[in-house]
Amino acid sequence: GLLYYTKIRKDKKYVVTIRDKAKRLLIPFIFFTLVTFVLKYIFNPLMKRPVELSFKQIINSVLYPVSNPLGEMWFIITLFIIFLFYPVFKWSL
């Protein structure tokens, strides 16, 4: 169901599908992650999991979604990674 109702079913090119998924998944994810970083940094003394506003921690929060200040959003990166492998899924179907 997940792959069937997307552009994969409509035989769109791989690059078009991934670009669309990046716009729909990664851009909002990155935006909300950065906003959360700033808010958690401002209120650091009150946070259970304080953050440091550094490039390294921002990159780690994208590469390792569990370390993201919005740890509850791990599934967005996972969903995007699944779509990166869609040619394999399409071939297997």
Side-chain angles (χ1 to χ4, degrees):
L2 173 67
L3 300 173
Y4 185 75
Y5 293 110
T6 63
K7 290 186 171 149
I8 295 169
R9 181 171 175 245
K10 299 174 187 168
D11 291 325
K12 297 287 182 180
K13 291 184 179 181
Y14 177 75
V15 175
V16 172
T17 302
I18 296 304
R19 189 176 341 133
D20 180 58
K21 292 301 172 190
K23 281 193 268 185
R24 295 174 74 209
L25 294 173
L26 294 183
I27 291 174
F29 176 79
I30 291 169
F31 172 78
F32 286 112
T33 296
L34 291 176
V35 168
T36 304
F37 258 111
V38 170
L39 288 174
K40 284 187 112 176
Y41 185 73
I42 291 170
F43 297 105
N44 238 355
L46 305 172
M47 293 295 125
K48 189 184 272 188
R49 292 184 318 168
V51 297
E52 66 178 63
L53 203 53
S54 69
F55 185 72
K56 181 181 178 183
Q57 187 164 10
I58 291 171
I59 294 300
N60 280 341
S61 71
V62 173
L63 295 177
Y64 308 105
V66 176
S67 68
N68 190 305
L70 290 173
E72 301 81 12
M73 303 290 278
W74 63 267
F75 66 92
I76 292 178
I77 293 293
T78 305
L79 191 59
F80 184 73
I81 290 170
I82 288 171
F83 276 105
L84 288 177
F85 291 101
Y86 104 82
V88 175
F89 297 133
K90 185 177 177 182
W91 173 79
S92 68
L93 295 175

